[in-house]
Amino acid sequence: MGRTRILVWLAASGVRQGEIVVLHCFRDPHRGWVPSPAAPLVAAHASGRGREVRTGDLDMASEAQTGSATVCAASYIDPRTGLPAGVAIGARADDAGAMAIARDVTESWMAVMRSRRLLLCNGRCGSGCPRIDSSDVVFVVGDAPAEEACGSAVRPEHPRAAATHFVDERMAVAPEWLAGRRDVGAVLGENVRATLVRTLISALDGLGPVVVDPCVPRDGGVGIQEPSSVDAKGNPRHRVPVSGRQSAVARASSPRPTS
Ligand SMILES: [Zn+2]
């Protein structure tokens, strides 16, 4: 899928002074509507750089138009579905600093788009979980992971002890943590919320196809499931604005070229 990655600048409008907008979804002239399930990671990474960060949607200008805002967008084609996914940030066209942030953050996430395995462990398989030990990077997931739950990940003799990171509701994940890493271990804290786990799985799946490999039963209490067509809020992953949905349906169901 790496060869399908592209970075484009798109015209849009609706960005307010002093902010940047991390998009849930954007329209690429060649790929159509592109969902961005990784938006929570992108928004967290974009914060603290001198602009308010808003997550939402923008009016995307048609190709012939120019907008008051510009969107830096990176996308790839998911080989499982043939559908695009990506990340995108909008900035005012008259705010060079914001545009630089949009480009820097978008490129950072584009650089780590690849297929991955997500090795999920709830810590109940005992210390020295082989899945976690073989991971390239380990995320300890939850607000306050129980000692025993994260023990296997953070014990000093762990071969990846230097590559262990805590991830909570803020979704503060540095893209560098994922660079070149195929096998991502996730140790789930005792009281981790299912929505956090699902949001993280969905977000990682928005950076390239993720295969989830749990060492706990799928009914292990946190609602672990494969990345699905439904996001953490229960919305369809490939939700698109009405006009986009109509054209997508037209493309999918009709052999006629659409105007
Ligand atoms: Zn395990």
Side-chain angles (χ1 to χ4, degrees):
M1 56 149 276
R3 283 170 304 182
T4 71
R5 289 183 300 176
I6 57 170
L7 184 91
V8 293
W9 289 91
L10 305 166
S13 59
V15 181
R16 297 189 283 261
Q17 200 79 47
E19 72 171 10
I20 56 176
V21 180
V22 175
L23 299 180
H24 290 303
C25 183
F26 59 95
R27 192 179 64 205
D28 178 286
H30 303 293
R31 293 184 162 172
W33 285 98
V34 181
S36 183
L41 296 175
V42 177
H45 182 226
S47 66
R49 295 176 181 234
R51 296 293 185 282
E52 285 293 315
V53 176
R54 174 162 65 95
T55 301
D57 297 310
L58 291 176
D59 291 327
M60 306 294 292
S62 72
E63 279 180 81
Q65 296 171 304
T66 55
S68 62
T70 183
V71 171
C72 187
S75 64
Y76 63 91
I77 301 295
D78 187 331
R80 298 169 302 184
T81 61
L83 294 170
V87 304
I89 303 177
R92 286 181 67 90
D94 61 2
D95 186 344
M99 286 173 62
I101 296 167
R103 177 176 198 140
D104 181 51
V105 173
T106 302
E107 286 183 340
S108 296
W109 291 104
M110 181 183 179
V112 299
M113 286 174 175
R114 60 161 296 161
S115 55
R116 292 191 170 82
R117 281 204 305 162
L118 184 61
L119 309 161
L120 282 180
C121 178
N122 70 353
R124 290 179 202 143
C125 57
S127 65
C129 171
R131 277 182 173 71
I132 296 303
D133 277 358
S134 68
S135 300
D136 299 321
V137 60
V138 176
F139 292 166
V140 178
V141 184
D143 284 328
E147 183 89 10
E148 59 272 26
C150 61
S152 64
V154 298
R155 60 198 169 87
E157 69 274 23
H158 187 281
R160 304 287 185 275
T164 297
H165 308 281
F166 288 85
V167 178
D168 61 17
E169 308 284 341
R170 290 169 294 180
M171 297 291 282
V173 171
E176 306 87 77
W177 298 351
L178 294 166
R181 306 283 167 77
R182 187 194 66 154
D183 291 346
V184 177
V187 179
L188 307 182
E190 189 105 312
N191 300 311
V192 66
R193 286 201 276 178
T195 52
L196 173 58
V197 179
R198 284 200 294 269
T199 302
L200 181 63
I201 293 174
S202 173
L204 290 174
D205 195 54
L207 298 169
V210 166
V211 174
V212 179
D213 183 4
C215 64
V216 293
R218 273 162 203 276
D219 60 354
V222 292
I224 294 167
Q225 57 189 26
E226 293 286 337
S228 72
S229 57
V230 177
D231 72 13
K233 290 178 183 151
N235 300 312
R237 277 252 338 247
H238 297 290
R239 175 180 63 90
V240 296
V242 170
S243 59
R245 180 182 296 129
Q246 285 168 337
S247 63
V249 169
R251 275 200 304 277
S253 63
S254 169
R256 297 187 308 264
T258 55
S259 56

